[in-house]
mmCIF file with all atom_site columns, all heavy atoms in Angstrom:
data_model
loop_
_atom_site.group_PDB
_atom_site.id
_atom_site.type_symbol
_atom_site.label_atom_id
_atom_site.label_alt_id
_atom_site.label_comp_id
_atom_site.label_asym_id
_atom_site.label_entity_id
_atom_site.label_seq_id
_atom_site.pdbx_PDB_ins_code
_atom_site.Cartn_x
_atom_site.Cartn_y
_atom_site.Cartn_z
_atom_site.occupancy
_atom_site.B_iso_or_equiv
_atom_site.pdbx_formal_charge
_atom_site.auth_seq_id
_atom_site.auth_comp_id
_atom_site.auth_asym_id
_atom_site.auth_atom_id
_atom_site.pdbx_PDB_model_num
ATOM 1   N N   . GLY A 1 72  ? -48.180 85.569  54.754 1.00 0.00 ? 72  GLY A N   1
ATOM 2   C CA  . GLY A 1 72  ? -47.190 85.531  55.812 1.00 0.00 ? 72  GLY A CA  1
ATOM 3   C C   . GLY A 1 72  ? -46.955 86.873  56.481 1.00 0.00 ? 72  GLY A C   1
ATOM 4   O O   . GLY A 1 72  ? -45.898 87.072  57.087 1.00 0.00 ? 72  GLY A O   1
ATOM 5   N N   . LEU A 1 73  ? -47.911 87.794  56.401 1.00 0.00 ? 73  LEU A N   1
ATOM 6   C CA  . LEU A 1 73  ? -47.739 89.070  57.091 1.00 0.00 ? 73  LEU A CA  1
ATOM 7   C C   . LEU A 1 73  ? -47.820 88.858  58.590 1.00 0.00 ? 73  LEU A C   1
ATOM 8   O O   . LEU A 1 73  ? -48.477 87.941  59.058 1.00 0.00 ? 73  LEU A O   1
ATOM 9   C CB  . LEU A 1 73  ? -48.815 90.091  56.654 1.00 0.00 ? 73  LEU A CB  1
ATOM 10  C CG  . LEU A 1 73  ? -48.921 90.461  55.182 1.00 0.00 ? 73  LEU A CG  1
ATOM 11  C CD1 . LEU A 1 73  ? -49.858 91.651  55.013 1.00 0.00 ? 73  LEU A CD1 1
ATOM 12  C CD2 . LEU A 1 73  ? -47.553 90.777  54.598 1.00 0.00 ? 73  LEU A CD2 1
ATOM 13  N N   . ARG A 1 74  ? -47.178 89.761  59.325 1.00 0.00 ? 74  ARG A N   1
ATOM 14  C CA  . ARG A 1 74  ? -47.222 89.722  60.780 1.00 0.00 ? 74  ARG A CA  1
ATOM 15  C C   . ARG A 1 74  ? -48.497 90.438  61.235 1.00 0.00 ? 74  ARG A C   1
ATOM 16  O O   . ARG A 1 74  ? -48.808 91.533  60.748 1.00 0.00 ? 74  ARG A O   1
ATOM 17  C CB  . ARG A 1 74  ? -45.986 90.475  61.290 1.00 0.00 ? 74  ARG A CB  1
ATOM 18  C CG  . ARG A 1 74  ? -45.686 90.353  62.734 1.00 0.00 ? 74  ARG A CG  1
ATOM 19  C CD  . ARG A 1 74  ? -44.169 90.529  62.964 1.00 0.00 ? 74  ARG A CD  1
ATOM 20  N NE  . ARG A 1 74  ? -43.652 91.832  62.503 1.00 0.00 ? 74  ARG A NE  1
ATOM 21  C CZ  . ARG A 1 74  ? -43.855 92.988  63.140 1.00 0.00 ? 74  ARG A CZ  1
ATOM 22  N NH1 . ARG A 1 74  ? -44.596 93.049  64.229 1.00 0.00 ? 74  ARG A NH1 1
ATOM 23  N NH2 . ARG A 1 74  ? -43.331 94.106  62.682 1.00 0.00 ? 74  ARG A NH2 1
ATOM 24  N N   . ILE A 1 276 ? -48.465 93.397  58.774 1.00 0.00 ? 276 ILE A N   1
ATOM 25  C CA  . ILE A 1 276 ? -47.191 94.097  58.662 1.00 0.00 ? 276 ILE A CA  1
ATOM 26  C C   . ILE A 1 276 ? -46.169 93.212  57.958 1.00 0.00 ? 276 ILE A C   1
ATOM 27  O O   . ILE A 1 276 ? -46.046 92.014  58.232 1.00 0.00 ? 276 ILE A O   1
ATOM 28  C CB  . ILE A 1 276 ? -46.646 94.473  60.078 1.00 0.00 ? 276 ILE A CB  1
ATOM 29  C CG1 . ILE A 1 276 ? -47.686 95.360  60.790 1.00 0.00 ? 276 ILE A CG1 1
ATOM 30  C CG2 . ILE A 1 276 ? -45.293 95.182  59.979 1.00 0.00 ? 276 ILE A CG2 1
ATOM 31  C CD1 . ILE A 1 276 ? -47.347 95.692  62.236 1.00 0.00 ? 276 ILE A CD1 1
ATOM 32  N N   . LEU A 1 277 ? -45.452 93.821  57.016 1.00 0.00 ? 277 LEU A N   1
ATOM 33  C CA  . LEU A 1 277 ? -44.363 93.132  56.322 1.00 0.00 ? 277 LEU A CA  1
ATOM 34  C C   . LEU A 1 277 ? -43.071 93.807  56.753 1.00 0.00 ? 277 LEU A C   1
ATOM 35  O O   . LEU A 1 277 ? -42.872 95.000  56.525 1.00 0.00 ? 277 LEU A O   1
ATOM 36  C CB  . LEU A 1 277 ? -44.544 93.256  54.804 1.00 0.00 ? 277 LEU A CB  1
ATOM 37  C CG  . LEU A 1 277 ? -43.507 92.544  53.937 1.00 0.00 ? 277 LEU A CG  1
ATOM 38  C CD1 . LEU A 1 277 ? -43.710 91.045  53.987 1.00 0.00 ? 277 LEU A CD1 1
ATOM 39  C CD2 . LEU A 1 277 ? -43.596 93.043  52.494 1.00 0.00 ? 277 LEU A CD2 1
ATOM 40  N N   . ASP A 1 278 ? -42.169 93.031  57.395 1.00 0.00 ? 278 ASP A N   1
ATOM 41  C CA  . ASP A 1 278 ? -40.942 93.638  57.887 1.00 0.00 ? 278 ASP A CA  1
ATOM 42  C C   . ASP A 1 278 ? -40.013 93.980  56.719 1.00 0.00 ? 278 ASP A C   1
ATOM 43  O O   . ASP A 1 278 ? -39.887 93.207  55.768 1.00 0.00 ? 278 ASP A O   1
ATOM 44  C CB  . ASP A 1 278 ? -40.245 92.697  58.866 1.00 0.00 ? 278 ASP A CB  1
ATOM 45  C CG  . ASP A 1 278 ? -41.054 92.575  60.145 1.00 0.00 ? 278 ASP A CG  1
ATOM 46  O OD1 . ASP A 1 278 ? -41.471 93.632  60.675 1.00 0.00 ? 278 ASP A OD1 1
ATOM 47  O OD2 . ASP A 1 278 ? -41.277 91.438  60.600 1.00 0.00 ? 278 ASP A OD2 1
ATOM 48  N N   . GLY A 1 279 ? -39.356 95.140  56.840 1.00 0.00 ? 279 GLY A N   1
ATOM 49  C CA  . GLY A 1 279 ? -38.435 95.568  55.798 1.00 0.00 ? 279 GLY A CA  1
ATOM 50  C C   . GLY A 1 279 ? -37.157 94.750  55.776 1.00 0.00 ? 279 GLY A C   1
ATOM 51  O O   . GLY A 1 279 ? -36.881 94.000  56.705 1.00 0.00 ? 279 GLY A O   1
ATOM 52  N N   . SER A 1 280 ? -36.365 94.932  54.701 1.00 0.00 ? 280 SER A N   1
ATOM 53  C CA  . SER A 1 280 ? -35.176 94.101  54.544 1.00 0.00 ? 280 SER A CA  1
ATOM 54  C C   . SER A 1 280 ? -33.936 94.707  55.197 1.00 0.00 ? 280 SER A C   1
ATOM 55  O O   . SER A 1 280 ? -32.923 94.028  55.326 1.00 0.00 ? 280 SER A O   1
ATOM 56  C CB  . SER A 1 280 ? -34.917 93.887  53.039 1.00 0.00 ? 280 SER A CB  1
ATOM 57  O OG  . SER A 1 280 ? -34.666 95.154  52.424 1.00 0.00 ? 280 SER A OG  1
ATOM 58  N N   . ASP A 1 281 ? -34.031 95.979  55.604 1.00 0.00 ? 281 ASP A N   1
ATOM 59  C CA  . ASP A 1 281 ? -32.841 96.643  56.169 1.00 0.00 ? 281 ASP A CA  1
ATOM 60  C C   . ASP A 1 281 ? -32.960 96.690  57.695 1.00 0.00 ? 281 ASP A C   1
ATOM 61  O O   . ASP A 1 281 ? -33.981 97.123  58.233 1.00 0.00 ? 281 ASP A O   1
ATOM 62  C CB  . ASP A 1 281 ? -32.754 98.063  55.600 1.00 0.00 ? 281 ASP A CB  1
ATOM 63  C CG  . ASP A 1 281 ? -31.514 98.783  56.083 1.00 0.00 ? 281 ASP A CG  1
ATOM 64  O OD1 . ASP A 1 281 ? -31.575 99.432  57.164 1.00 0.00 ? 281 ASP A OD1 1
ATOM 65  O OD2 . ASP A 1 281 ? -30.478 98.682  55.397 1.00 0.00 ? 281 ASP A OD2 1
ATOM 66  N N   . ARG A 1 285 ? -35.956 99.189  58.688 1.00 0.00 ? 285 ARG A N   1
ATOM 67  C CA  . ARG A 1 285 ? -37.181 98.416  58.915 1.00 0.00 ? 285 ARG A CA  1
ATOM 68  C C   . ARG A 1 285 ? -37.954 98.938  60.127 1.00 0.00 ? 285 ARG A C   1
ATOM 69  O O   . ARG A 1 285 ? -39.088 98.575  60.334 1.00 0.00 ? 285 ARG A O   1
ATOM 70  C CB  . ARG A 1 285 ? -36.847 96.942  59.109 1.00 0.00 ? 285 ARG A CB  1
ATOM 71  C CG  . ARG A 1 285 ? -36.212 96.639  60.457 1.00 0.00 ? 285 ARG A CG  1
ATOM 72  C CD  . ARG A 1 285 ? -35.656 95.249  60.624 1.00 0.00 ? 285 ARG A CD  1
ATOM 73  N NE  . ARG A 1 285 ? -36.362 94.213  59.888 1.00 0.00 ? 285 ARG A NE  1
ATOM 74  C CZ  . ARG A 1 285 ? -35.919 92.953  59.788 1.00 0.00 ? 285 ARG A CZ  1
ATOM 75  N NH1 . ARG A 1 285 ? -34.743 92.620  60.352 1.00 0.00 ? 285 ARG A NH1 1
ATOM 76  N NH2 . ARG A 1 285 ? -36.563 92.062  59.134 1.00 0.00 ? 285 ARG A NH2 1
ATOM 77  N N   . TYR A 1 288 ? -41.947 102.783 58.786 1.00 0.00 ? 288 TYR A N   1
ATOM 78  C CA  . TYR A 1 288 ? -43.066 102.067 58.149 1.00 0.00 ? 288 TYR A CA  1
ATOM 79  C C   . TYR A 1 288 ? -43.738 102.941 57.089 1.00 0.00 ? 288 TYR A C   1
ATOM 80  O O   . TYR A 1 288 ? -43.950 104.155 57.268 1.00 0.00 ? 288 TYR A O   1
ATOM 81  C CB  . TYR A 1 288 ? -44.115 101.700 59.186 1.00 0.00 ? 288 TYR A CB  1
ATOM 82  C CG  . TYR A 1 288 ? -43.595 100.746 60.236 1.00 0.00 ? 288 TYR A CG  1
ATOM 83  C CD1 . TYR A 1 288 ? -42.818 101.245 61.297 1.00 0.00 ? 288 TYR A CD1 1
ATOM 84  C CD2 . TYR A 1 288 ? -43.832 99.395  60.149 1.00 0.00 ? 288 TYR A CD2 1
ATOM 85  C CE1 . TYR A 1 288 ? -42.323 100.376 62.260 1.00 0.00 ? 288 TYR A CE1 1
ATOM 86  C CE2 . TYR A 1 288 ? -43.329 98.510  61.114 1.00 0.00 ? 288 TYR A CE2 1
ATOM 87  C CZ  . TYR A 1 288 ? -42.578 99.018  62.148 1.00 0.00 ? 288 TYR A CZ  1
ATOM 88  O OH  . TYR A 1 288 ? -42.074 98.168  63.102 1.00 0.00 ? 288 TYR A OH  1
ATOM 89  N N   . PHE A 1 329 ? -45.734 92.471  47.447 1.00 0.00 ? 329 PHE A N   1
ATOM 90  C CA  . PHE A 1 329 ? -44.548 92.814  48.258 1.00 0.00 ? 329 PHE A CA  1
ATOM 91  C C   . PHE A 1 329 ? -44.033 91.619  49.040 1.00 0.00 ? 329 PHE A C   1
ATOM 92  O O   . PHE A 1 329 ? -42.868 91.581  49.430 1.00 0.00 ? 329 PHE A O   1
ATOM 93  C CB  . PHE A 1 329 ? -44.882 93.950  49.237 1.00 0.00 ? 329 PHE A CB  1
ATOM 94  C CG  . PHE A 1 329 ? -44.728 95.325  48.638 1.00 0.00 ? 329 PHE A CG  1
ATOM 95  C CD1 . PHE A 1 329 ? -45.846 96.091  48.310 1.00 0.00 ? 329 PHE A CD1 1
ATOM 96  C CD2 . PHE A 1 329 ? -43.461 95.853  48.426 1.00 0.00 ? 329 PHE A CD2 1
ATOM 97  C CE1 . PHE A 1 329 ? -45.698 97.355  47.780 1.00 0.00 ? 329 PHE A CE1 1
ATOM 98  C CE2 . PHE A 1 329 ? -43.311 97.133  47.884 1.00 0.00 ? 329 PHE A CE2 1
ATOM 99  C CZ  . PHE A 1 329 ? -44.432 97.879  47.568 1.00 0.00 ? 329 PHE A CZ  1
ATOM 100 N N   . ARG A 1 335 ? -39.631 92.937  48.767 1.00 0.00 ? 335 ARG A N   1
ATOM 101 C CA  . ARG A 1 335 ? -39.907 93.938  49.806 1.00 0.00 ? 335 ARG A CA  1
ATOM 102 C C   . ARG A 1 335 ? -38.848 95.031  49.805 1.00 0.00 ? 335 ARG A C   1
ATOM 103 O O   . ARG A 1 335 ? -37.681 94.781  49.458 1.00 0.00 ? 335 ARG A O   1
ATOM 104 C CB  . ARG A 1 335 ? -39.999 93.290  51.172 1.00 0.00 ? 335 ARG A CB  1
ATOM 105 C CG  . ARG A 1 335 ? -38.653 92.778  51.705 1.00 0.00 ? 335 ARG A CG  1
ATOM 106 C CD  . ARG A 1 335 ? -38.840 91.963  52.958 1.00 0.00 ? 335 ARG A CD  1
ATOM 107 N NE  . ARG A 1 335 ? -39.633 90.763  52.708 1.00 0.00 ? 335 ARG A NE  1
ATOM 108 C CZ  . ARG A 1 335 ? -40.231 90.073  53.665 1.00 0.00 ? 335 ARG A CZ  1
ATOM 109 N NH1 . ARG A 1 335 ? -40.171 90.436  54.926 1.00 0.00 ? 335 ARG A NH1 1
ATOM 110 N NH2 . ARG A 1 335 ? -40.900 88.988  53.371 1.00 0.00 ? 335 ARG A NH2 1
ATOM 111 N N   . PRO A 1 336 ? -39.190 96.235  50.269 1.00 0.00 ? 336 PRO A N   1
ATOM 112 C CA  . PRO A 1 336 ? -38.196 97.304  50.363 1.00 0.00 ? 336 PRO A CA  1
ATOM 113 C C   . PRO A 1 336 ? -37.475 97.267  51.710 1.00 0.00 ? 336 PRO A C   1
ATOM 114 O O   . PRO A 1 336 ? -37.733 96.403  52.539 1.00 0.00 ? 336 PRO A O   1
ATOM 115 C CB  . PRO A 1 336 ? -39.041 98.563  50.252 1.00 0.00 ? 336 PRO A CB  1
ATOM 116 C CG  . PRO A 1 336 ? -40.355 98.193  50.824 1.00 0.00 ? 336 PRO A CG  1
ATOM 117 C CD  . PRO A 1 336 ? -40.553 96.703  50.571 1.00 0.00 ? 336 PRO A CD  1
ATOM 118 N N   . LYS A 1 337 ? -36.576 98.237  51.891 1.00 0.00 ? 337 LYS A N   1
ATOM 119 C CA  . LYS A 1 337 ? -35.821 98.304  53.148 1.00 0.00 ? 337 LYS A CA  1
ATOM 120 C C   . LYS A 1 337 ? -36.701 98.641  54.339 1.00 0.00 ? 337 LYS A C   1
ATOM 121 O O   . LYS A 1 337 ? -36.560 98.089  55.419 1.00 0.00 ? 337 LYS A O   1
ATOM 122 C CB  . LYS A 1 337 ? -34.726 99.370  53.021 1.00 0.00 ? 337 LYS A CB  1
ATOM 123 C CG  . LYS A 1 337 ? -33.657 98.984  52.007 1.00 0.00 ? 337 LYS A CG  1
ATOM 124 C CD  . LYS A 1 337 ? -32.646 100.102 51.822 1.00 0.00 ? 337 LYS A CD  1
ATOM 125 C CE  . LYS A 1 337 ? -31.551 99.635  50.859 1.00 0.00 ? 337 LYS A CE  1
ATOM 126 N NZ  . LYS A 1 337 ? -30.730 100.766 50.407 1.00 0.00 ? 337 LYS A NZ  1
ATOM 127 N N   . ARG A 1 338 ? -37.636 99.583  54.144 1.00 0.00 ? 338 ARG A N   1
ATOM 128 C CA  . ARG A 1 338 ? -38.547 99.928  55.240 1.00 0.00 ? 338 ARG A CA  1
ATOM 129 C C   . ARG A 1 338 ? -39.657 98.873  55.333 1.00 0.00 ? 338 ARG A C   1
ATOM 130 O O   . ARG A 1 338 ? -39.938 98.170  54.374 1.00 0.00 ? 338 ARG A O   1
ATOM 131 C CB  . ARG A 1 338 ? -39.186 101.307 54.996 1.00 0.00 ? 338 ARG A CB  1
ATOM 132 C CG  . ARG A 1 338 ? -38.206 102.450 55.148 1.00 0.00 ? 338 ARG A CG  1
ATOM 133 C CD  . ARG A 1 338 ? -38.909 103.810 55.135 1.00 0.00 ? 338 ARG A CD  1
ATOM 134 N NE  . ARG A 1 338 ? -37.944 104.873 55.417 1.00 0.00 ? 338 ARG A NE  1
ATOM 135 C CZ  . ARG A 1 338 ? -37.104 105.375 54.514 1.00 0.00 ? 338 ARG A CZ  1
ATOM 136 N NH1 . ARG A 1 338 ? -37.144 104.948 53.265 1.00 0.00 ? 338 ARG A NH1 1
ATOM 137 N NH2 . ARG A 1 338 ? -36.241 106.312 54.843 1.00 0.00 ? 338 ARG A NH2 1
ATOM 138 N N   . SER A 1 339 ? -40.293 98.795  56.499 1.00 0.00 ? 339 SER A N   1
ATOM 139 C CA  . SER A 1 339 ? -41.421 97.885  56.686 1.00 0.00 ? 339 SER A CA  1
ATOM 140 C C   . SER A 1 339 ? -42.677 98.523  56.093 1.00 0.00 ? 339 SER A C   1
ATOM 141 O O   . SER A 1 339 ? -42.742 99.732  55.859 1.00 0.00 ? 339 SER A O   1
ATOM 142 C CB  . SER A 1 339 ? -41.618 97.614  58.166 1.00 0.00 ? 339 SER A CB  1
ATOM 143 O OG  . SER A 1 339 ? -40.457 97.009  58.686 1.00 0.00 ? 339 SER A OG  1
ATOM 144 N N   . ILE A 1 340 ? -43.674 97.662  55.859 1.00 0.00 ? 340 ILE A N   1
ATOM 145 C CA  . ILE A 1 340 ? -44.931 98.154  55.283 1.00 0.00 ? 340 ILE A CA  1
ATOM 146 C C   . ILE A 1 340 ? -46.083 97.680  56.148 1.00 0.00 ? 340 ILE A C   1
ATOM 147 O O   . ILE A 1 340 ? -46.136 96.512  56.566 1.00 0.00 ? 340 ILE A O   1
ATOM 148 C CB  . ILE A 1 340 ? -45.151 97.644  53.849 1.00 0.00 ? 340 ILE A CB  1
ATOM 149 C CG1 . ILE A 1 340 ? -43.946 97.973  52.964 1.00 0.00 ? 340 ILE A CG1 1
ATOM 150 C CG2 . ILE A 1 340 ? -46.408 98.253  53.254 1.00 0.00 ? 340 ILE A CG2 1
ATOM 151 C CD1 . ILE A 1 340 ? -44.110 97.474  51.529 1.00 0.00 ? 340 ILE A CD1 1
#
Side-chain angles (χ1 to χ4, degrees):
L73 301 191
R74 191 153 59 75
I276 302 174
L277 182 72
D278 291 314
S280 62
D281 183 271
R285 74 189 328 171
Y288 298 80
F329 274 107
R335 71 188 63 198
K337 293 176 177 167
R338 290 189 175 80
S339 300
I340 307 180

